[in-house]
Amino acid sequence: MSIIRKRVLVLHGPNINMVGERETSIYGKESFDSINLQILDYATSLGLECQTFQSNSEGEIIDHIHAARQNFDGIIINAGAYTHYSYAIRDAIAAVKIPCIEVHFSNIHSREEFRSKSVIAPACVGQISGFGKYSYLLALQGIQNII
């Protein structure tokens, strides 16, 4: 008898691929690839199947959210700067009707004023920010308990 694992999609938005190189005082020095490996390993340890995807393109992110409704039980998203103004991503999250957790490396509420507003948050079940790469790991724990 095979065990059916819950599937989670982790979406990284614009510039997240530059983590470890850009603004290391905010985002840390660890590479994007290293963080992705840790996300995948931790998901496996929680009994979750996980796939990651990064894009600097709003349309590609929306396409992956739409496709997730047929292939995934939950979404974890760091929409990067799109967090603050992409009503299209917000509407895509609301449309798929699967749980989504918003994550951020930094505490968006303690940075520049424009970063404190998330237009995608109302479509998500929760938001985790300020814990660096651990924001993703905390989100995996959270999503595991609601899917």
Side-chain angles (χ1 to χ4, degrees), residues 57-113:
S57 168
E58 184 178 32
E60 284 187 358
I61 293 168
I62 291 166
D63 289 343
H64 272 72
I65 293 168
H66 288 175
R69 74 186 188 283
Q70 297 172 354
N71 301 307
F72 294 93
D73 302 294
I75 299 171
I76 295 169
I77 186 169
N78 182 341
Y82 290 135
T83 298
H84 315 295
Y85 66 88
S86 179
Y87 292 99
I89 290 175
R90 180 251 176 253
D91 289 349
I93 292 167
V96 298
K97 298 183 175 120
I98 58 176
C100 182
I101 297 176
E102 175 186 350
V103 300
H104 299 282
F105 284 90
S106 66
N107 180 351
I108 63 172
H109 303 287
S110 68
R111 295 185 61 196
E112 302 93 336
E113 185 178 338

Side-chain angles (χ1 to χ4, degrees), residues 11-83:
L11 290 173
H12 304 284
N15 301 310
I16 305 301
N17 59 310
M18 299 297 292
V19 166
E21 299 176 45
R22 69 181 267 247
E23 300 175 278
T24 56
S25 63
I26 296 171
Y27 301 108
K29 294 181 180 178
E30 194 165 355
S31 75
F32 176 67
D33 290 338
S34 174
I35 292 168
N36 264 333
L37 286 174
Q38 291 173 66
I39 289 168
L40 295 171
D41 286 346
Y42 192 62
T44 299
S45 78
L46 294 175
L48 299 169
E49 283 187 37
C50 185
Q51 180 178 326
T52 63
F53 176 78
Q54 188 277 328
S55 180
N56 295 315
S57 168
E58 184 178 32
E60 284 187 358
I61 293 168
I62 291 166
D63 289 343
H64 272 72
I65 293 168
H66 288 175
R69 74 186 188 283
Q70 297 172 354
N71 301 307
F72 294 93
D73 302 294
I75 299 171
I76 295 169
I77 186 169
N78 182 341
Y82 290 135
T83 298

